[in-house]
PDB file of all heavy atoms in Angstrom:
ATOM      1  N   GLU A   1     101.522 110.237 -64.550  1.00  0.00           N
ATOM      2  CA  GLU A   1     100.492 109.329 -65.063  1.00  0.00           C
ATOM      3  C   GLU A   1     100.103 108.311 -64.000  1.00  0.00           C
ATOM      4  O   GLU A   1      99.020 107.745 -64.059  1.00  0.00           O
ATOM      5  CB  GLU A   1     101.008 108.606 -66.319  1.00  0.00           C
ATOM      6  CG  GLU A   1     101.352 109.522 -67.484  1.00  0.00           C
ATOM      7  CD  GLU A   1     100.129 110.269 -68.002  1.00  0.00           C
ATOM      8  OE1 GLU A   1      99.052 109.657 -68.100  1.00  0.00           O
ATOM      9  OE2 GLU A   1     100.256 111.468 -68.297  1.00  0.00           O
ATOM     10  N   ASP A   2     100.991 108.075 -63.002  1.00  0.00           N
ATOM     11  CA  ASP A   2     100.707 107.116 -61.923  1.00  0.00           C
ATOM     12  C   ASP A   2      99.947 107.850 -60.816  1.00  0.00           C
ATOM     13  O   ASP A   2     100.523 108.345 -59.855  1.00  0.00           O
ATOM     14  CB  ASP A   2     102.023 106.534 -61.407  1.00  0.00           C
ATOM     15  CG  ASP A   2     101.804 105.419 -60.401  1.00  0.00           C
ATOM     16  OD1 ASP A   2     100.637 105.192 -60.001  1.00  0.00           O
ATOM     17  OD2 ASP A   2     102.807 104.796 -60.003  1.00  0.00           O
ATOM     18  N   ARG A   3      98.624 107.917 -60.981  1.00  0.00           N
ATOM     19  CA  ARG A   3      97.764 108.689 -60.082  1.00  0.00           C
ATOM     20  C   ARG A   3      97.878 108.221 -58.625  1.00  0.00           C
ATOM     21  O   ARG A   3      97.963 109.038 -57.711  1.00  0.00           O
ATOM     22  CB  ARG A   3      96.320 108.579 -60.568  1.00  0.00           C
ATOM     23  CG  ARG A   3      95.342 109.398 -59.773  1.00  0.00           C
ATOM     24  CD  ARG A   3      93.991 109.389 -60.481  1.00  0.00           C
ATOM     25  NE  ARG A   3      92.931 109.896 -59.671  1.00  0.00           N
ATOM     26  CZ  ARG A   3      92.734 111.170 -59.358  1.00  0.00           C
ATOM     27  NH1 ARG A   3      93.584 112.064 -59.783  1.00  0.00           N
ATOM     28  NH2 ARG A   3      91.709 111.541 -58.624  1.00  0.00           N
ATOM     29  N   GLU A   4      97.876 106.945 -58.395  1.00  0.00           N
ATOM     30  CA  GLU A   4      97.939 106.412 -57.023  1.00  0.00           C
ATOM     31  C   GLU A   4      99.251 106.806 -56.354  1.00  0.00           C
ATOM     32  O   GLU A   4      99.265 107.243 -55.212  1.00  0.00           O
ATOM     33  CB  GLU A   4      97.788 104.889 -57.065  1.00  0.00           C
ATOM     34  CG  GLU A   4      97.699 104.264 -55.682  1.00  0.00           C
ATOM     35  CD  GLU A   4      97.482 102.765 -55.754  1.00  0.00           C
ATOM     36  OE1 GLU A   4      96.640 102.317 -56.560  1.00  0.00           O
ATOM     37  OE2 GLU A   4      98.171 102.059 -55.001  1.00  0.00           O
ATOM     38  N   ARG A   5     100.339 106.688 -57.071  1.00  0.00           N
ATOM     39  CA  ARG A   5     101.655 107.066 -56.526  1.00  0.00           C
ATOM     40  C   ARG A   5     101.706 108.575 -56.256  1.00  0.00           C
ATOM     41  O   ARG A   5     102.266 109.019 -55.262  1.00  0.00           O
ATOM     42  CB  ARG A   5     102.742 106.639 -57.513  1.00  0.00           C
ATOM     43  CG  ARG A   5     104.128 107.088 -57.162  1.00  0.00           C
ATOM     44  CD  ARG A   5     104.854 106.057 -56.339  1.00  0.00           C
ATOM     45  NE  ARG A   5     106.262 106.433 -56.318  1.00  0.00           N
ATOM     46  CZ  ARG A   5     106.926 106.659 -55.201  1.00  0.00           C
ATOM     47  NH1 ARG A   5     106.353 106.495 -54.050  1.00  0.00           N
ATOM     48  NH2 ARG A   5     108.181 107.026 -55.255  1.00  0.00           N
ATOM     49  N   LEU A   6     101.109 109.358 -57.135  1.00  0.00           N
ATOM     50  CA  LEU A   6     101.074 110.806 -56.977  1.00  0.00           C
ATOM     51  C   LEU A   6     100.287 111.196 -55.719  1.00  0.00           C
ATOM     52  O   LEU A   6     100.722 112.048 -54.937  1.00  0.00           O
ATOM     53  CB  LEU A   6     100.465 111.447 -58.223  1.00  0.00           C
ATOM     54  CG  LEU A   6     100.606 112.950 -58.385  1.00  0.00           C
ATOM     55  CD1 LEU A   6     102.064 113.381 -58.354  1.00  0.00           C
ATOM     56  CD2 LEU A   6      99.945 113.410 -59.670  1.00  0.00           C
ATOM     57  N   VAL A   7      99.168 110.552 -55.485  1.00  0.00           N
ATOM     58  CA  VAL A   7      98.357 110.808 -54.287  1.00  0.00           C
ATOM     59  C   VAL A   7      99.148 110.439 -53.030  1.00  0.00           C
ATOM     60  O   VAL A   7      99.129 111.165 -52.028  1.00  0.00           O
ATOM     61  CB  VAL A   7      97.007 110.047 -54.358  1.00  0.00           C
ATOM     62  CG1 VAL A   7      96.282 110.079 -53.023  1.00  0.00           C
ATOM     63  CG2 VAL A   7      96.137 110.625 -55.456  1.00  0.00           C
ATOM     64  N   GLN A   8      99.871 109.343 -53.060  1.00  0.00           N
ATOM     65  CA  GLN A   8     100.706 108.935 -51.924  1.00  0.00           C
ATOM     66  C   GLN A   8     101.787 109.976 -51.642  1.00  0.00           C
ATOM     67  O   GLN A   8     102.031 110.328 -50.490  1.00  0.00           O
ATOM     68  CB  GLN A   8     101.365 107.572 -52.189  1.00  0.00           C
ATOM     69  CG  GLN A   8     100.425 106.411 -52.135  1.00  0.00           C
ATOM     70  CD  GLN A   8     101.126 105.112 -52.526  1.00  0.00           C
ATOM     71  OE1 GLN A   8     102.222 105.120 -53.111  1.00  0.00           O
ATOM     72  NE2 GLN A   8     100.485 103.986 -52.233  1.00  0.00           N
ATOM     73  N   GLU A   9     102.440 110.457 -52.688  1.00  0.00           N
ATOM     74  CA  GLU A   9     103.502 111.453 -52.526  1.00  0.00           C
ATOM     75  C   GLU A   9     102.941 112.755 -51.952  1.00  0.00           C
ATOM     76  O   GLU A   9     103.543 113.368 -51.065  1.00  0.00           O
ATOM     77  CB  GLU A   9     104.202 111.733 -53.864  1.00  0.00           C
ATOM     78  CG  GLU A   9     105.114 110.626 -54.324  1.00  0.00           C
ATOM     79  CD  GLU A   9     106.281 110.389 -53.374  1.00  0.00           C
ATOM     80  OE1 GLU A   9     106.894 111.370 -52.896  1.00  0.00           O
ATOM     81  OE2 GLU A   9     106.581 109.211 -53.108  1.00  0.00           O
ATOM     82  N   ILE A  10     101.779 113.179 -52.428  1.00  0.00           N
ATOM     83  CA  ILE A  10     101.154 114.395 -51.903  1.00  0.00           C
ATOM     84  C   ILE A  10     100.823 114.210 -50.429  1.00  0.00           C
ATOM     85  O   ILE A  10     101.053 115.102 -49.605  1.00  0.00           O
ATOM     86  CB  ILE A  10      99.903 114.764 -52.737  1.00  0.00           C
ATOM     87  CG1 ILE A  10     100.335 115.242 -54.122  1.00  0.00           C
ATOM     88  CG2 ILE A  10      99.069 115.826 -52.020  1.00  0.00           C
ATOM     89  CD1 ILE A  10      99.184 115.417 -55.092  1.00  0.00           C
ATOM     90  N   SER A  11     100.315 113.066 -50.069  1.00  0.00           N
ATOM     91  CA  SER A  11      99.993 112.774 -48.671  1.00  0.00           C
ATOM     92  C   SER A  11     101.247 112.798 -47.797  1.00  0.00           C
ATOM     93  O   SER A  11     101.240 113.370 -46.699  1.00  0.00           O
ATOM     94  CB  SER A  11      99.306 111.410 -48.573  1.00  0.00           C
ATOM     95  OG  SER A  11      99.018 111.107 -47.241  1.00  0.00           O
ATOM     96  N   LEU A  12     102.334 112.213 -48.287  1.00  0.00           N
ATOM     97  CA  LEU A  12     103.600 112.237 -47.544  1.00  0.00           C
ATOM     98  C   LEU A  12     104.109 113.668 -47.365  1.00  0.00           C
ATOM     99  O   LEU A  12     104.565 114.050 -46.290  1.00  0.00           O
ATOM    100  CB  LEU A  12     104.665 111.396 -48.267  1.00  0.00           C
ATOM    101  CG  LEU A  12     104.534 109.886 -48.156  1.00  0.00           C
ATOM    102  CD1 LEU A  12     105.535 109.199 -49.088  1.00  0.00           C
ATOM    103  CD2 LEU A  12     104.774 109.433 -46.717  1.00  0.00           C
ATOM    104  N   LEU A  13     104.033 114.447 -48.447  1.00  0.00           N
ATOM    105  CA  LEU A  13     104.486 115.840 -48.374  1.00  0.00           C
ATOM    106  C   LEU A  13     103.646 116.652 -47.391  1.00  0.00           C
ATOM    107  O   LEU A  13     104.179 117.463 -46.629  1.00  0.00           O
ATOM    108  CB  LEU A  13     104.450 116.486 -49.755  1.00  0.00           C
ATOM    109  CG  LEU A  13     105.530 116.032 -50.734  1.00  0.00           C
ATOM    110  CD1 LEU A  13     105.273 116.611 -52.117  1.00  0.00           C
ATOM    111  CD2 LEU A  13     106.901 116.432 -50.232  1.00  0.00           C
ATOM    112  N   ARG A  14     102.350 116.459 -47.396  1.00  0.00           N
ATOM    113  CA  ARG A  14     101.484 117.166 -46.448  1.00  0.00           C
ATOM    114  C   ARG A  14     101.855 116.815 -45.007  1.00  0.00           C
ATOM    115  O   ARG A  14     101.857 117.677 -44.130  1.00  0.00           O
ATOM    116  CB  ARG A  14     100.022 116.845 -46.717  1.00  0.00           C
ATOM    117  CG  ARG A  14      99.489 117.568 -47.922  1.00  0.00           C
ATOM    118  CD  ARG A  14      98.012 117.326 -48.107  1.00  0.00           C
ATOM    119  NE  ARG A  14      97.523 118.105 -49.225  1.00  0.00           N
ATOM    120  CZ  ARG A  14      96.514 117.738 -49.996  1.00  0.00           C
ATOM    121  NH1 ARG A  14      95.865 116.621 -49.753  1.00  0.00           N
ATOM    122  NH2 ARG A  14      96.146 118.506 -50.997  1.00  0.00           N
ATOM    123  N   GLY A  15     102.145 115.545 -44.755  1.00  0.00           N
ATOM    124  CA  GLY A  15     102.561 115.116 -43.416  1.00  0.00           C
ATOM    125  C   GLY A  15     103.864 115.776 -43.001  1.00  0.00           C
ATOM    126  O   GLY A  15     104.009 116.236 -41.865  1.00  0.00           O
ATOM    127  N   LYS A  16     104.828 115.838 -43.936  1.00  0.00           N
ATOM    128  CA  LYS A  16     106.110 116.484 -43.639  1.00  0.00           C
ATOM    129  C   LYS A  16     105.931 117.973 -43.369  1.00  0.00           C
ATOM    130  O   LYS A  16     106.525 118.524 -42.442  1.00  0.00           O
ATOM    131  CB  LYS A  16     107.105 116.270 -44.777  1.00  0.00           C
ATOM    132  CG  LYS A  16     107.644 114.864 -44.846  1.00  0.00           C
ATOM    133  CD  LYS A  16     108.636 114.698 -45.979  1.00  0.00           C
ATOM    134  CE  LYS A  16     109.138 113.281 -46.029  1.00  0.00           C
ATOM    135  NZ  LYS A  16     110.147 113.085 -47.063  1.00  0.00           N
ATOM    136  N   VAL A  17     105.105 118.631 -44.161  1.00  0.00           N
ATOM    137  CA  VAL A  17     104.861 120.060 -43.972  1.00  0.00           C
ATOM    138  C   VAL A  17     104.196 120.304 -42.616  1.00  0.00           C
ATOM    139  O   VAL A  17     104.565 121.223 -41.887  1.00  0.00           O
ATOM    140  CB  VAL A  17     104.001 120.631 -45.135  1.00  0.00           C
ATOM    141  CG1 VAL A  17     103.478 122.018 -44.794  1.00  0.00           C
ATOM    142  CG2 VAL A  17     104.804 120.657 -46.415  1.00  0.00           C
ATOM    143  N   ALA A  18     103.233 119.464 -42.259  1.00  0.00           N
ATOM    144  CA  ALA A  18     102.551 119.616 -40.959  1.00  0.00           C
ATOM    145  C   ALA A  18     103.543 119.452 -39.814  1.00  0.00           C
ATOM    146  O   ALA A  18     103.502 120.216 -38.839  1.00  0.00           O
ATOM    147  CB  ALA A  18     101.416 118.605 -40.841  1.00  0.00           C
ATOM    148  N   ARG A  19     104.443 118.471 -39.903  1.00  0.00           N
ATOM    149  CA  ARG A  19     105.448 118.262 -38.847  1.00  0.00           C
ATOM    150  C   ARG A  19     106.412 119.448 -38.758  1.00  0.00           C
ATOM    151  O   ARG A  19     106.782 119.882 -37.678  1.00  0.00           O
ATOM    152  CB  ARG A  19     106.200 116.948 -39.070  1.00  0.00           C
ATOM    153  CG  ARG A  19     105.376 115.718 -38.727  1.00  0.00           C
ATOM    154  CD  ARG A  19     106.195 114.434 -38.744  1.00  0.00           C
ATOM    155  NE  ARG A  19     106.783 114.123 -40.039  1.00  0.00           N
ATOM    156  CZ  ARG A  19     106.127 113.530 -41.040  1.00  0.00           C
ATOM    157  NH1 ARG A  19     104.872 113.185 -40.908  1.00  0.00           N
ATOM    158  NH2 ARG A  19     106.734 113.291 -42.177  1.00  0.00           N
ATOM    159  N   LEU A  20     106.804 119.980 -39.923  1.00  0.00           N
ATOM    160  CA  LEU A  20     107.688 121.145 -39.935  1.00  0.00           C
ATOM    161  C   LEU A  20     106.995 122.376 -39.339  1.00  0.00           C
ATOM    162  O   LEU A  20     107.602 123.129 -38.580  1.00  0.00           O
ATOM    163  CB  LEU A  20     108.170 121.440 -41.351  1.00  0.00           C
ATOM    164  CG  LEU A  20     109.187 120.463 -41.933  1.00  0.00           C
ATOM    165  CD1 LEU A  20     109.423 120.758 -43.413  1.00  0.00           C
ATOM    166  CD2 LEU A  20     110.491 120.519 -41.161  1.00  0.00           C
ATOM    167  N   GLN A  21     105.715 122.577 -39.667  1.00  0.00           N
ATOM    168  CA  GLN A  21     104.978 123.706 -39.099  1.00  0.00           C
ATOM    169  C   GLN A  21     104.857 123.570 -37.586  1.00  0.00           C
ATOM    170  O   GLN A  21     105.001 124.547 -36.856  1.00  0.00           O
ATOM    171  CB  GLN A  21     103.582 123.808 -39.733  1.00  0.00           C
ATOM    172  CG  GLN A  21     103.605 124.336 -41.147  1.00  0.00           C
ATOM    173  CD  GLN A  21     102.242 124.287 -41.809  1.00  0.00           C
ATOM    174  OE1 GLN A  21     101.412 123.435 -41.513  1.00  0.00           O
ATOM    175  NE2 GLN A  21     102.029 125.222 -42.734  1.00  0.00           N
ATOM    176  N   GLU A  22     104.607 122.366 -37.119  1.00  0.00           N
ATOM    177  CA  GLU A  22     104.521 122.122 -35.678  1.00  0.00           C
ATOM    178  C   GLU A  22     105.859 122.427 -35.002  1.00  0.00           C
ATOM    179  O   GLU A  22     105.896 123.049 -33.940  1.00  0.00           O
ATOM    180  CB  GLU A  22     104.121 120.658 -35.429  1.00  0.00           C
ATOM    181  CG  GLU A  22     103.895 120.316 -33.971  1.00  0.00           C
ATOM    182  CD  GLU A  22     103.452 118.872 -33.810  1.00  0.00           C
ATOM    183  OE1 GLU A  22     102.499 118.457 -34.497  1.00  0.00           O
ATOM    184  OE2 GLU A  22     104.071 118.166 -32.993  1.00  0.00           O
ATOM    185  N   ARG A  23     106.949 122.029 -35.619  1.00  0.00           N
ATOM    186  CA  ARG A  23     108.281 122.286 -35.056  1.00  0.00           C
ATOM    187  C   ARG A  23     108.584 123.785 -35.024  1.00  0.00           C
ATOM    188  O   ARG A  23     109.143 124.293 -34.050  1.00  0.00           O
ATOM    189  CB  ARG A  23     109.350 121.543 -35.864  1.00  0.00           C
ATOM    190  CG  ARG A  23     110.739 121.675 -35.310  1.00  0.00           C
ATOM    191  CD  ARG A  23     110.857 120.995 -33.960  1.00  0.00           C
ATOM    192  NE  ARG A  23     112.210 121.160 -33.471  1.00  0.00           N
ATOM    193  CZ  ARG A  23     112.515 121.375 -32.212  1.00  0.00           C
ATOM    194  NH1 ARG A  23     111.592 121.407 -31.292  1.00  0.00           N
ATOM    195  NH2 ARG A  23     113.761 121.539 -31.860  1.00  0.00           N
ATOM    196  N   VAL A  24     108.214 124.500 -36.078  1.00  0.00           N
ATOM    197  CA  VAL A  24     108.414 125.953 -36.114  1.00  0.00           C
ATOM    198  C   VAL A  24     107.624 126.613 -34.984  1.00  0.00           C
ATOM    199  O   VAL A  24     108.131 127.511 -34.305  1.00  0.00           O
ATOM    200  CB  VAL A  24     108.021 126.533 -37.494  1.00  0.00           C
ATOM    201  CG1 VAL A  24     107.904 128.040 -37.446  1.00  0.00           C
ATOM    202  CG2 VAL A  24     109.034 126.106 -38.550  1.00  0.00           C
ATOM    203  N   GLU A  25     106.389 126.172 -34.756  1.00  0.00           N
ATOM    204  CA  GLU A  25     105.577 126.726 -33.668  1.00  0.00           C
ATOM    205  C   GLU A  25     106.217 126.448 -32.309  1.00  0.00           C
ATOM    206  O   GLU A  25     106.222 127.301 -31.432  1.00  0.00           O
ATOM    207  CB  GLU A  25     104.157 126.154 -33.720  1.00  0.00           C
ATOM    208  CG  GLU A  25     103.334 126.705 -34.864  1.00  0.00           C
ATOM    209  CD  GLU A  25     102.001 126.005 -35.027  1.00  0.00           C
ATOM    210  OE1 GLU A  25     101.567 125.296 -34.091  1.00  0.00           O
ATOM    211  OE2 GLU A  25     101.384 126.180 -36.090  1.00  0.00           O
ATOM    212  N   GLN A  26     106.763 125.237 -32.132  1.00  0.00           N
ATOM    213  CA  GLN A  26     107.445 124.897 -30.879  1.00  0.00           C
ATOM    214  C   GLN A  26     108.657 125.798 -30.665  1.00  0.00           C
ATOM    215  O   GLN A  26     108.876 126.305 -29.563  1.00  0.00           O
ATOM    216  CB  GLN A  26     107.887 123.432 -30.878  1.00  0.00           C
ATOM    217  CG  GLN A  26     106.762 122.438 -30.781  1.00  0.00           C
ATOM    218  CD  GLN A  26     107.245 121.007 -31.020  1.00  0.00           C
ATOM    219  OE1 GLN A  26     108.357 120.770 -31.518  1.00  0.00           O
ATOM    220  NE2 GLN A  26     106.400 120.052 -30.675  1.00  0.00           N
ATOM    221  N   LEU A  27     109.462 125.996 -31.695  1.00  0.00           N
ATOM    222  CA  LEU A  27     110.650 126.840 -31.589  1.00  0.00           C
ATOM    223  C   LEU A  27     110.272 128.293 -31.325  1.00  0.00           C
ATOM    224  O   LEU A  27     110.923 128.988 -30.537  1.00  0.00           O
ATOM    225  CB  LEU A  27     111.502 126.727 -32.852  1.00  0.00           C
ATOM    226  CG  LEU A  27     112.186 125.381 -33.068  1.00  0.00           C
ATOM    227  CD1 LEU A  27     112.836 125.319 -34.441  1.00  0.00           C
ATOM    228  CD2 LEU A  27     113.198 125.103 -31.969  1.00  0.00           C
ATOM    229  N   ASP A  28     109.197 128.764 -31.967  1.00  0.00           N
ATOM    230  CA  ASP A  28     108.720 130.128 -31.735  1.00  0.00           C
ATOM    231  C   ASP A  28     108.295 130.294 -30.277  1.00  0.00           C
ATOM    232  O   ASP A  28     108.614 131.299 -29.641  1.00  0.00           O
ATOM    233  CB  ASP A  28     107.558 130.445 -32.677  1.00  0.00           C
ATOM    234  CG  ASP A  28     107.070 131.872 -32.510  1.00  0.00           C
ATOM    235  OD1 ASP A  28     107.877 132.804 -32.754  1.00  0.00           O
ATOM    236  OD2 ASP A  28     105.905 132.063 -32.121  1.00  0.00           O
TER     237      ASP A  28
END
C-alpha cells in the first residue's frame, strides 16, 4: 500500500541487478 516505498525498493533492486550483471560480464 506504500507506493513510494515500493518504487524505492524496485529502484534499489534494479540497481543491484545491474551491478550483478556487470560483475557476471566481467567474470565471463
Side-chain angles (χ1 to χ4, degrees):
E1 298 297 319
D2 187 353
R3 183 171 168 73
E4 186 177 315
R5 174 92 167 122
L6 193 57
V7 169
Q8 288 175 344
E9 286 297 317
I10 290 171
S11 179
L12 285 172
L13 287 173
R14 284 185 176 150
K16 287 181 181 183
V17 167
R19 286 189 299 278
L20 288 172
Q21 286 174 330
E22 185 178 309
R23 184 66 180 142
V24 166
E25 288 172 16
Q26 290 170 345
L27 291 172
D28 182 62

